[in-house]
Amino acid sequence: GIQVEQSPPDLILQEGANSTLRCNFSDSVNNLQWFHQNPWGQLINLFYIPSGTKQNGRLSATTVATERYSLLYISSSQTTDSGVYFCAVGDGKLTFGKGITLSVRP
Amino acid sequence: GAVVSQHPSWVICKSGTSVKIECRSLDFQATTMFWYRQFPKQSLMLMATSNEGSKATYEQGVEKDKFLINHASLTLSTLTVTSAHPEDSSFYICSARNLQGYEQFFGPGTRLTVL
């Protein structure tokens, strides 16, 4: 099956700092999604980005499908950005990475 | 748009009882729904793929007789945990894919505790 690796596993930032989260995957796919899991467990859709670049406010993402990686950028981080960020890839079904735990300190 | 609901949001039951969890796509039709399971501090693991009007496809290692899935309509899939035991305690999350593409939309999850 598809292998998904996210890095770094943990990230601690000071409020206002920028960060880059990485997702590597082992096979070509039609679906790549980034999620933020909030403290109640809800998965918040950040981006559906099998290729290309998208931006939404302070967040942006880039997927280079030919090189099988995706990057999630968080600029001017806020304490509310804390939580776990998942990358998930696949075609019909999704395989999730292990997640990146982000802690933003005031 | 693309809202998925789950009911109940949490449930506590005694060992040996069965629990049904509903997953609904509220504003779109979903021929395919997925059921995931997440243990504390871990990632999501796909349990099964639910297709409207046909039998579910289970991932390797998932007991189909224990986790019964029914996808009766284009907006509703149900997961029944039969004869639940404490080791079935977990966070169960469903997702739905609309007819147009590959993007999946996730429900808020159901936290199951089996005493």
Side-chain angles (χ1 to χ4, degrees):
Chain A
I2 296 173
Q3 305 298 312
V4 183
E5 292 186 2
Q6 291 187 246
S7 61
D10 300 282
L11 191 55
I12 300 174
L13 299 175
Q14 206 64 33
E15 197 169 27
N18 303 328
S19 61
T20 301
L21 287 62
R22 187 177 180 102
C23 173
N24 292 336
F25 48 99
S26 61
D27 213 343
S28 59
V29 293
N30 287 306
N31 185 1
L32 189 147
Q33 293 182 244
W34 281 98
F35 301 93
H36 176 206
Q37 188 167 39
N38 69 19
W40 297 272
Q42 168 83 60
L43 284 175
I44 309 299
N45 273 37
L46 297 178
F47 294 102
Y48 166 68
I49 187 166
S51 64
T53 297
K54 290 185 178 179
Q55 180 158 6
N56 184 1
R58 295 183 296 105
L59 302 182
S60 63
T62 295
T63 297
V64 183
T66 53
E67 297 187 22
R68 298 178 185 167
Y69 73 88
S70 183
L71 302 174
L72 176 68
Y73 305 97
I74 304 175
S75 64
S76 303
S77 58
Q78 301 175 357
T79 55
T80 51
D81 295 330
S82 297
V84 182
Y85 289 80
F86 287 105
C87 162
V89 305
D91 292 320
K93 57 185 183 180
L94 289 177
T95 299
F96 279 72
K98 291 185 177 180
I100 296 171
T101 301
L102 173 64
S103 298
V104 181
R105 295 180 173 172
Chain B
V3 178
V4 176
S5 70
Q6 274 185 248
H7 178 79
S9 55
W10 59 270
V11 57
I12 301 173
C13 69
K14 292 183 179 180
S15 186
T17 61
S18 294
V19 174
K20 180 184 283 189
I21 303 169
E22 292 187 348
C23 176
R24 294 181 185 273
S25 56
L26 298 184
D27 52 3
F28 66 100
Q29 292 183 326
T31 53
T32 306
M33 291 184 171
F34 304 86
W35 288 95
Y36 297 82
R37 184 172 178 175
Q38 185 180 32
F39 290 108
K41 305 290 186 185
Q42 294 188 23
S43 186
L44 280 75
M45 295 295 293
L46 180 66
M47 298 175 65
T49 301
S50 167
N51 294 294
E52 187 265 337
S54 64
K55 290 184 178 180
T57 303
Y58 292 81
E59 295 299 300
Q60 192 172 5
V62 177
E63 300 175 58
K64 58 183 68 177
D65 293 332
K66 173 172 241 342
F67 299 100
L68 300 179
I69 292 172
N70 185 287
H71 194 156
S73 74
L74 286 174
T75 59
L76 174 64
S77 176
T78 60
L79 168 68
T80 301
V81 183
T82 63
S83 187
H85 291 285
E87 57 266 29
D88 299 323
S89 298
S90 188
F91 191 53
Y92 293 87
I93 309 174
C94 73
S95 72
R97 193 178 77 201
N98 64 22
L99 303 179
Q100 281 72 39
Y102 291 95
E103 186 176 6
Q104 291 185 27
F105 303 92
F106 284 74
T110 298
R111 200 163 300 277
L112 170 64
T113 302
V114 184
L115 302 176

